[in-house]
Amino acid sequence: EKGTYAHFMLKEIDEQPFVMRKIIQEYQDENDNIKLDPSIRAAMLDTDRVYIIAAGTSYNAGLVGKQIIEKLANVPVEVHIASEFSYNMPLLSEKPLFIFISQSGETADSRSVLVRIKELGHRSITVTNVPGSTLSREADHTLHLYAGPEIAVASTKAYTAQIAVLTILAVDTAKAKGMTLDFDPLQELGIVSSVMESLTDQKDVFEQIAKDLFANTRNAFFIGRGADYFVVQEASLKLKEISYIQAEGFAGGELKHGTIALIEEGTPVIAISTQENVNYSIRGNVQEVAARGAKTCVVSIEGLDQASDAFVLPHVHELLTPLVSVVPMQLLAYYAALHRDCDVDKPRNLAKSVTVE
Ligand code: F6R
C-alpha cells in the first residue's frame, strides 16, 4: 500500500536508503564478509567473459554494473539489449557466463535469450526482485534484489538495488581472486544509503528545479561522461516515460557530432558531473550549450563543486556515484510528470512487466 504517499513512485524512491541497508544485511555474514552462494562465486571465477542481458532500466543498471565488475574484479563484461541479442548475437568467448537483470523476472525478451543460451549449454545467473519468477526458475542461479515489491511502472528502487547487488558480486569475485580492494564496499554502500536519505529529504529542492526546467518544454537533454553517461540514459528514460517530454541522454563528447544542432533558446540541458577525470570536459559542454541559449542545470558532487551548480551531492565512492546521482533524476522526472498532470504510476501505453516479445 502507498500509505500517505500520493504515488507508489515517490514511495519507492524514498525506500531506496532502506533497500541499500537491506542488501548490506542480506549479503553480509557474522564476520562482516560477503555472503554469497558459493556456486555463483565459482561461476564468476570460471568465466572469461560475462554477458549481461536486460531491457529498459535494467539494461541501464547493467551498463553501470559492467563498469563496476570490470574495474573491481577485472572480468570483461558486455551488456546487451535483450531484444537485440537474439538476432545480433556477438561471437561468444570460450567460457561465457550470462547475467540476466530483470526486476520482474518475467521479461519475454530476456527469457528468449535465456532459452537460447541454455540450448547452447551456457551458464546463467538471474538478478531479480521476484523470487520464483520465470527467469529465476530457469537460470542456474539467482541473486535477489531484496527491494520489496515495485508497483510504479517507472522503475526506481530496482535500478539502485541492481547496481548494489552487482557491486557485491564484483567485490566477492575480486576477493575470491585474491585481489585487494582499497575500500570497504559494504561500508561504502552504507554511506550511499545515508546520502540517499539526505536527497530524499530535500524533495522541495528538486521540485523547484523541475518547475524551472520543464514547465513549458517539449524536449530535454541530459549529458554526462564516464559513469555519468550511464546515469543520464536512465534519467532520460525516466523523464520520457512518465512526463512524455521527449528526452535523450548523451555522452558529452558527442554533442559536437550532431546533437548540439537541437539546442535552442530555453532548451533544458541537465548535466551530471561526479567524475574527476571528466569534470573539466563536461563543464565545457555545459558552457557550449549555454552559449546557444540552453537552460542548464549541473548536478555535481562534493570536491568538484562549483558555485553555480544546481545541486552538489555529498561525497560517495567514485565507482558508486550512479547510486546517488540517479536519485535527483528520479525526483526531477516525478515532479515534471506531477506538474503536467500525468498519471505518474501508470503512464500511457506501458505495462509493468512486458511478457510479449
Ligand atoms: C522503466 C521500466 C522498464 C523496465 C523493463 C525491464 O522504468 O520499468 O524499462 O526496466 O521493461 O523490466 P524488467 O527489469 O522487469 O525485466
Side-chain angles (χ1 to χ4, degrees), residues 55-58 102-104 107 153-155 237-238 241 354:
T57 289
S58 297
S102 177
Q103 189 284 131
S104 63
T107 297
V153 164
S155 182
L237 177 57
K238 283 291 86 84
E241 72 180 323
V354 185

PDB file of all heavy atoms in Angstrom, residues 55-58 102-104 107 153-155 237-238 241 354, ligand 1:
ATOM      1  N   ALA A  55      16.649  -5.301 -20.337  1.00  0.00           N
ATOM      2  CA  ALA A  55      15.859  -4.327 -21.107  1.00  0.00           C
ATOM      3  C   ALA A  55      15.613  -3.087 -20.247  1.00  0.00           C
ATOM      4  O   ALA A  55      15.578  -3.163 -19.016  1.00  0.00           O
ATOM      5  CB  ALA A  55      14.513  -4.951 -21.500  1.00  0.00           C
ATOM      6  N   GLY A  56      15.434  -1.960 -20.922  1.00  0.00           N
ATOM      7  CA  GLY A  56      14.989  -0.730 -20.247  1.00  0.00           C
ATOM      8  C   GLY A  56      15.898  -0.301 -19.111  1.00  0.00           C
ATOM      9  O   GLY A  56      17.120  -0.231 -19.252  1.00  0.00           O
ATOM     10  N   THR A  57      15.273  -0.024 -17.983  1.00  0.00           N
ATOM     11  CA  THR A  57      16.024   0.429 -16.815  1.00  0.00           C
ATOM     12  C   THR A  57      17.015  -0.623 -16.347  1.00  0.00           C
ATOM     13  O   THR A  57      18.122  -0.291 -15.903  1.00  0.00           O
ATOM     14  CB  THR A  57      15.028   0.802 -15.694  1.00  0.00           C
ATOM     15  OG1 THR A  57      14.373   2.010 -16.084  1.00  0.00           O
ATOM     16  CG2 THR A  57      15.709   1.007 -14.363  1.00  0.00           C
ATOM     17  N   SER A  58      16.660  -1.879 -16.453  1.00  0.00           N
ATOM     18  CA  SER A  58      17.583  -2.938 -16.028  1.00  0.00           C
ATOM     19  C   SER A  58      18.817  -2.958 -16.922  1.00  0.00           C
ATOM     20  O   SER A  58      19.930  -3.226 -16.461  1.00  0.00           O
ATOM     21  CB  SER A  58      16.877  -4.296 -16.049  1.00  0.00           C
ATOM     22  OG  SER A  58      15.810  -4.290 -15.127  1.00  0.00           O
ATOM     23  N   SER A 102      16.630  -8.470 -14.301  1.00  0.00           N
ATOM     24  CA  SER A 102      15.203  -8.241 -14.542  1.00  0.00           C
ATOM     25  C   SER A 102      14.464  -8.061 -13.228  1.00  0.00           C
ATOM     26  O   SER A 102      14.409  -8.987 -12.411  1.00  0.00           O
ATOM     27  CB  SER A 102      14.609  -9.420 -15.314  1.00  0.00           C
ATOM     28  OG  SER A 102      13.223  -9.232 -15.498  1.00  0.00           O
ATOM     29  N   GLN A 103      13.944  -6.857 -13.020  1.00  0.00           N
ATOM     30  CA  GLN A 103      13.168  -6.598 -11.809  1.00  0.00           C
ATOM     31  C   GLN A 103      12.073  -7.648 -11.664  1.00  0.00           C
ATOM     32  O   GLN A 103      11.963  -8.304 -10.638  1.00  0.00           O
ATOM     33  CB  GLN A 103      12.572  -5.179 -11.881  1.00  0.00           C
ATOM     34  CG  GLN A 103      11.906  -4.658 -10.615  1.00  0.00           C
ATOM     35  CD  GLN A 103      10.535  -5.247 -10.340  1.00  0.00           C
ATOM     36  OE1 GLN A 103      10.286  -5.687  -9.203  1.00  0.00           O
ATOM     37  NE2 GLN A 103       9.674  -5.309 -11.317  1.00  0.00           N
ATOM     38  N   SER A 104      11.263  -7.800 -12.705  1.00  0.00           N
ATOM     39  CA  SER A 104      10.093  -8.678 -12.639  1.00  0.00           C
ATOM     40  C   SER A 104      10.465 -10.148 -12.782  1.00  0.00           C
ATOM     41  O   SER A 104       9.738 -11.025 -12.319  1.00  0.00           O
ATOM     42  CB  SER A 104       9.108  -8.319 -13.752  1.00  0.00           C
ATOM     43  OG  SER A 104       9.722  -8.546 -15.024  1.00  0.00           O
ATOM     44  N   THR A 107      10.385 -10.675 -18.083  1.00  0.00           N
ATOM     45  CA  THR A 107      10.520 -10.011 -19.386  1.00  0.00           C
ATOM     46  C   THR A 107      10.787 -11.026 -20.509  1.00  0.00           C
ATOM     47  O   THR A 107      11.787 -11.746 -20.489  1.00  0.00           O
ATOM     48  CB  THR A 107      11.635  -8.947 -19.299  1.00  0.00           C
ATOM     49  OG1 THR A 107      11.217  -7.982 -18.335  1.00  0.00           O
ATOM     50  CG2 THR A 107      11.892  -8.279 -20.626  1.00  0.00           C
ATOM     51  N   VAL A 153       5.083   1.774 -12.511  1.00  0.00           N
ATOM     52  CA  VAL A 153       5.636   1.270 -13.777  1.00  0.00           C
ATOM     53  C   VAL A 153       7.082   1.766 -13.948  1.00  0.00           C
ATOM     54  O   VAL A 153       7.953   1.020 -14.384  1.00  0.00           O
ATOM     55  CB  VAL A 153       4.734   1.696 -14.963  1.00  0.00           C
ATOM     56  CG1 VAL A 153       5.471   1.530 -16.279  1.00  0.00           C
ATOM     57  CG2 VAL A 153       3.460   0.848 -14.968  1.00  0.00           C
ATOM     58  N   ALA A 154       7.324   3.016 -13.591  1.00  0.00           N
ATOM     59  CA  ALA A 154       8.686   3.542 -13.705  1.00  0.00           C
ATOM     60  C   ALA A 154       9.555   2.936 -12.608  1.00  0.00           C
ATOM     61  O   ALA A 154       9.289   3.093 -11.421  1.00  0.00           O
ATOM     62  CB  ALA A 154       8.675   5.061 -13.587  1.00  0.00           C
ATOM     63  N   SER A 155      10.583   2.257 -13.030  1.00  0.00           N
ATOM     64  CA  SER A 155      11.441   1.541 -12.087  1.00  0.00           C
ATOM     65  C   SER A 155      12.418   2.505 -11.420  1.00  0.00           C
ATOM     66  O   SER A 155      13.067   3.307 -12.085  1.00  0.00           O
ATOM     67  CB  SER A 155      12.202   0.474 -12.874  1.00  0.00           C
ATOM     68  OG  SER A 155      13.007  -0.280 -12.012  1.00  0.00           O
ATOM     69  N   LEU A 237      15.277   8.201 -19.740  1.00  0.00           N
ATOM     70  CA  LEU A 237      14.201   7.194 -19.817  1.00  0.00           C
ATOM     71  C   LEU A 237      13.108   7.498 -18.788  1.00  0.00           C
ATOM     72  O   LEU A 237      11.915   7.477 -19.100  1.00  0.00           O
ATOM     73  CB  LEU A 237      14.765   5.778 -19.600  1.00  0.00           C
ATOM     74  CG  LEU A 237      13.757   4.632 -19.577  1.00  0.00           C
ATOM     75  CD1 LEU A 237      12.930   4.582 -20.862  1.00  0.00           C
ATOM     76  CD2 LEU A 237      14.447   3.288 -19.362  1.00  0.00           C
ATOM     77  N   LYS A 238      13.528   7.834 -17.561  1.00  0.00           N
ATOM     78  CA  LYS A 238      12.547   8.161 -16.514  1.00  0.00           C
ATOM     79  C   LYS A 238      11.685   9.338 -16.943  1.00  0.00           C
ATOM     80  O   LYS A 238      10.472   9.291 -16.844  1.00  0.00           O
ATOM     81  CB  LYS A 238      13.232   8.535 -15.184  1.00  0.00           C
ATOM     82  CG  LYS A 238      13.784   7.435 -14.326  1.00  0.00           C
ATOM     83  CD  LYS A 238      12.764   6.541 -13.689  1.00  0.00           C
ATOM     84  CE  LYS A 238      12.367   5.425 -14.594  1.00  0.00           C
ATOM     85  NZ  LYS A 238      13.190   4.241 -14.613  1.00  0.00           N
ATOM     86  N   GLU A 241       9.272   8.477 -19.993  1.00  0.00           N
ATOM     87  CA  GLU A 241       8.188   7.514 -19.804  1.00  0.00           C
ATOM     88  C   GLU A 241       7.062   8.035 -18.922  1.00  0.00           C
ATOM     89  O   GLU A 241       5.919   7.639 -19.098  1.00  0.00           O
ATOM     90  CB  GLU A 241       8.695   6.153 -19.318  1.00  0.00           C
ATOM     91  CG  GLU A 241       9.160   6.113 -17.898  1.00  0.00           C
ATOM     92  CD  GLU A 241       9.640   4.727 -17.485  1.00  0.00           C
ATOM     93  OE1 GLU A 241       9.048   3.732 -17.914  1.00  0.00           O
ATOM     94  OE2 GLU A 241      10.609   4.650 -16.713  1.00  0.00           O
ATOM     95  N   VAL A 354       6.684  -6.827 -19.101  1.00  0.00           N
ATOM     96  CA  VAL A 354       6.463  -6.943 -20.545  1.00  0.00           C
ATOM     97  C   VAL A 354       6.681  -8.394 -20.956  1.00  0.00           C
ATOM     98  O   VAL A 354       7.803  -8.844 -21.183  1.00  0.00           O
ATOM     99  CB  VAL A 354       7.398  -5.992 -21.321  1.00  0.00           C
ATOM    100  CG1 VAL A 354       7.072  -6.026 -22.812  1.00  0.00           C
ATOM    101  CG2 VAL A 354       7.273  -4.566 -20.797  1.00  0.00           C
TER     102      VAL A 354
HETATM  103  C1  F6R B   1      11.411   1.694 -16.970  1.00  0.00           C
HETATM  104  C2  F6R B   1      10.984   0.323 -16.821  1.00  0.00           C
HETATM  105  C3  F6R B   1      11.251  -0.646 -17.915  1.00  0.00           C
HETATM  106  C4  F6R B   1      11.795  -1.959 -17.356  1.00  0.00           C
HETATM  107  C5  F6R B   1      11.976  -3.004 -18.459  1.00  0.00           C
HETATM  108  C6  F6R B   1      12.613  -4.267 -17.945  1.00  0.00           C
HETATM  109  O1  F6R B   1      11.150   2.442 -15.836  1.00  0.00           O
HETATM  110  O2  F6R B   1      10.430  -0.032 -15.828  1.00  0.00           O
HETATM  111  O3  F6R B   1      12.158  -0.107 -18.849  1.00  0.00           O
HETATM  112  O4  F6R B   1      13.015  -1.685 -16.728  1.00  0.00           O
HETATM  113  O5  F6R B   1      10.725  -3.297 -19.017  1.00  0.00           O
HETATM  114  O6  F6R B   1      11.839  -4.851 -16.954  1.00  0.00           O
HETATM  115  P1  F6R B   1      12.405  -5.969 -16.005  1.00  0.00           P
HETATM  116  O7  F6R B   1      13.506  -5.361 -15.205  1.00  0.00           O
HETATM  117  O8  F6R B   1      11.254  -6.411 -15.178  1.00  0.00           O
HETATM  118  O9  F6R B   1      12.947  -7.069 -16.901  1.00  0.00           O
END
